[in-house]
Amino acid sequence: MKIKVLITGGTIDKTYKELAGELSFTETHMVDMLNRGRSMADTLSEVLFLKDSLEIVDSDRAFILDKCQACDEQHILITHGTDTMVETATYLAKSLKDKTVVLFGSMIPYSVDNSDALFNLGVALSAVQLKPSGVYIAMNGKVFDFDKVQKDKSLGIFIDA
């Protein structure tokens, strides 16, 4: 089974810039994450863009949808920022019926100690191989249906909606 990994940015791919005192994008960490996790899954990664999810608009979502529909793979992982992940999952679910799509991200960048990025990647990678066709979100050790999840900003986790 080949798994397409579409990279859109989000906290998971941000890096702390000491001189500026801020988080920003330089490049994706996905290949390093898969290697560090010793993944044996057959994946093919593609960077669509590197954006904070608060900057993602419907034209970006349409681009993600087009990439999902155009790829030959039936199993797709999408990295995404957590603030609008549910919105993008809902957008994709309206049109994607014959593929298994799992969105995931992290609350702490992969490049920062104690990040949840590798854990969320592992859950997402398992989910995309085991779940039936549909759109899901993998965060905090759980796999949620796209329409039964919400981000609890006060706790910094995803919960059942």
Side-chain angles (χ1 to χ4, degrees):
M1 166 188 311
K2 184 173 276 293
I3 301 166
K4 183 74 170 192
V5 181
L6 299 176
I7 298 159
T8 70
T11 297
I12 197 166
D13 263 331
K14 288 187 174 180
T15 303
Y16 181 67
K17 300 293 184 185
E18 290 180 25
L19 295 178
E22 63 186 22
L23 294 171
S24 62
F25 297 106
T26 53
E27 61 186 2
T28 184
H29 302 290
M30 184 52 54
V31 172
D32 184 52
M33 290 172 62
L34 289 164
N35 289 338
R36 187 171 177 197
R38 298 178 184 235
S39 173
M40 297 301 293
D42 186 6
T43 59
L44 176 63
S45 299
E46 180 179 354
V47 177
L48 302 186
F49 47 78
L50 295 175
K51 286 187 175 185
D52 186 288
S53 72
L54 293 173
E55 297 174 1
I56 292 178
V57 295
D58 279 346
S59 60
D60 297 318
R61 291 182 181 90
F63 181 58
I64 297 168
L65 175 61
D66 288 345
K67 287 293 188 173
C68 289
Q69 291 173 326
C71 74
D72 293 332
E73 294 81 8
Q74 297 300 306
H75 301 86
I76 303 168
L77 288 181
I78 301 173
T79 67
H80 199 288
T82 61
D83 286 320
T84 63
M85 185 183 291
V86 173
E87 189 175 340
T88 297
T90 301
Y91 184 97
L92 297 175
K94 292 176 187 173
S95 300
L96 291 174
K97 305 296 181 197
D98 61 340
K99 297 189 181 204
T100 303
V101 178
V102 179
L103 289 82
F104 75 101
S106 67
M107 299 294 187
I108 301 169
Y110 169 73
S111 62
V112 175
D113 286 343
N114 298 315
S115 173
D116 54 334
L118 276 180
F119 181 68
N120 291 335
L121 169 60
V123 173
L125 198 52
S126 295
V128 79
Q129 295 176 76
L130 299 172
K131 292 296 250 179
S133 295
V135 178
Y136 306 92
I137 289 177
M139 290 291 295
N140 310 112
K142 291 185 74 174
V143 180
F144 301 92
D145 292 339
F146 77 93
D147 58 347
K148 296 180 179 140
V149 62
Q150 64 185 16
K151 180 179 176 181
D152 184 324
K153 292 182 181 184
S154 66
L155 296 175
I157 59 172
F158 279 69
I159 59 172
D160 295 308

